[in-house]
Amino acid sequence: MKRVLITGGAGFIGANLARRLLADGHAVTVLDDFYTGQRANLEGLGVTLLERDVREPIPGEYDWIFNLACPASPPHYQLDPLFTLTTSIDGIRRVLELAGRCGARVLHASTSEVYGDPLVHPQPETYWGHVNTLGIRSCYDEGKRAAEAFALEYRRACGVDVRLVRIFNTYGPFMDPQDGRVVSNFILQALRGEPITLYGDGAQTRSFQFVDDLVAGFLAYIQADPARLEAFFAPKGCAIPVLNMGNPGEFTVRQLAEEVLRQIPESRSALAARPLPGDDPKRRKPDVSWAKACLGWEPRIPLRDGLAKTIAYFRGLA
Ligand code: UDP
């Protein structure tokens, strides 16, 4: 049994991770300020709740810390860009200070957004990215890039065992219906008979990972023996473990809309063009060969099956 802290644990990924950790017999504490997290996601679960801001010093003693605290959907992280930046940067500092004090192992949720609108396809961990530092996404992208730098330097200077995971588009039960993300938007619009809002021409691609695959990856990664990680990453010139986690199956946003409508045959919705938001990446697809070689992990749930489970979840909410 491990003492586990999940910062941002009332959010979509945290809610799924907390359930899996509790099912595995661990003691779970969730830190959340409910800026985007949902109280309902934790109801009746039996987690210890620390309702506080991750930018403040964090009390307690833990074996594992998952640092997920940060608004993550474009509409949410653009609402208060300074909050997003400071949550990323001050948040990881607080987590690393805590880990340094109690000897916890840290898994930090980074993001495919560190690659920006990538010029290399698919994106391996060695790609440095193509990010607009002054664009509307930079509060998120640059906050997350700075957080990676903090993790690296704390690891080097203080020996904190921190591991980075760059998460690609992920979907599944407990997504926030208000999040504005493409999967939740399309499903809810199709269920309500509203227009399916296709931004731009819908030809931009994303690779959609079902959340159970990501949670399985998290658990394999946090449990990996430090010496094994060192043996894997040091020869690659990486001073910190860094792994992509995502599903390499690549779909256009239009294809996603069509699959959602196929799975909700009673829907009266039709596709409706909307303006493309600024700096929207044109293509995104993870190279997950390192995660496979290092952890034996790869995603197993195809989009069709994951969508069916997610649609069932959203139907249950109606
Ligand atoms: N998108 C869309 N309609 C929506 C929401 C999003 O066409 O209602 C597009 C968006 O422009 C992007 C992709 O879907 O190209 C994924 O958007 P999301 O906000 O889910 O995540 P991102 O990968 O952009 O962070």
Side-chain angles (χ1 to χ4, degrees):
M1 199 261 297
K2 299 289 184 193
R3 300 162 302 169
V4 186
L5 174 68
I6 310 175
T7 74
F12 152 55
I13 292 173
N16 284 279
L17 176 63
R19 279 167 174 74
R20 169 69 195 270
L21 288 166
L22 289 166
D24 289 355
H26 301 298
V28 178
T29 300
V30 163
L31 182 154
D32 211 295
D33 63 357
F34 299 104
Y35 181 80
T36 53
Q38 304 292 309
R39 285 176 203 279
N41 285 350
L42 303 175
E43 241 164 46
L45 265 192
V47 300
T48 302
L49 179 63
L50 291 178
E51 185 168 350
R52 50 193 296 136
D53 188 326
V54 73
R55 298 173 297 181
E56 303 298 329
I58 307 169
E61 302 261 320
Y62 303 96
D63 302 302
W64 296 344
I65 305 171
F66 294 88
N67 185 37
L68 310 185
C70 191
S73 79
H76 281 157
Y77 68 64
Q78 288 164 19
L79 206 60
D80 185 348
L82 287 175
F83 176 79
T84 301
L85 266 170
T86 53
T87 298
S88 267
I89 294 170
D90 297 343
I92 190 142
R93 288 187 66 179
R94 295 307 187 191
V95 163
L96 293 167
E97 284 164 10
L98 169 63
R101 200 179 70 235
C102 67
R105 199 176 269 187
V106 179
L107 194 151
H108 171 66
S110 189
T111 167
S112 57
E113 288 285 331
V114 301
Y115 302 124
D117 188 1
L119 303 177
V120 167
H121 205 73
Q123 294 84 56
E125 289 84 348
T126 48
Y127 180 48
W128 290 357
H130 177 236
V131 176
N132 178 0
T133 58
L134 303 178
I136 59 166
R137 287 184 174 243
S138 68
C139 60
Y140 186 68
D141 301 6
E142 295 298 340
K144 288 288 189 175
R145 287 167 70 96
E148 288 200 0
F150 268 109
L152 170 70
E153 299 307 342
Y154 264 83
R155 189 179 168 96
R156 277 213 275 241
C158 313
V160 175
D161 183 347
V162 48
R163 304 153 184 212
L164 304 176
V165 52
R166 294 182 180 151
I167 303 171
F168 285 64
N169 293 67
T170 302
Y171 68 97
F174 302 104
M175 288 185 95
D176 177 0
Q178 314 295 333
D179 212 19
R181 283 183 173 272
V182 69
V183 173
S184 44
N185 273 8
F186 285 3
I187 292 174
L188 287 166
Q189 289 162 349
L191 290 175
R192 292 170 180 158
E194 295 167 357
I196 307 280
T197 53
L198 206 60
Y199 297 167
D201 59 4
Q204 68 273 34
T205 74
R206 294 292 186 273
S207 303
F208 298 102
Q209 161 176 244
F210 189 63
V211 66
D212 288 1
D213 279 333
L214 179 68
V215 167
F218 274 15
L219 289 181
Y221 200 5
I222 197 92
Q223 292 179 86
D225 177 49
R228 222 184 75 220
L229 291 179
E230 176 75 14
F232 185 84
F233 285 100
K236 296 176 166 51
C238 295
I240 184 168
V242 54
L243 292 175
N244 288 336
M245 287 189 186
N247 191 322
E250 186 182 8
F251 296 85
T252 66
V253 167
R254 181 180 290 276
Q255 285 172 323
L256 174 72
E258 287 165 354
E259 179 59 23
V260 167
L261 286 175
R262 201 188 62 75
Q263 293 203 21
I264 307 179
E266 75 280 13
S267 177
R268 289 169 285 109
S269 299
L271 304 189
R274 296 283 185 274
L276 189 68
D279 289 331
D280 199 271
K282 286 176 276 305
R283 293 183 77 186
R284 186 183 289 152
K285 171 182 160 118
D287 177 337
V288 292
S289 51
W290 276 15
K292 187 172 181 193
C294 179
L295 305 175
W297 172 88
E298 59 185 326
R300 301 188 182 286
I301 301 157
L303 180 63
R304 182 176 288 216
D305 299 354
L307 273 184
K309 290 174 198 261
T310 311
I311 290 169
Y313 169 77
F314 280 112
R315 278 190 201 279
L317 288 187

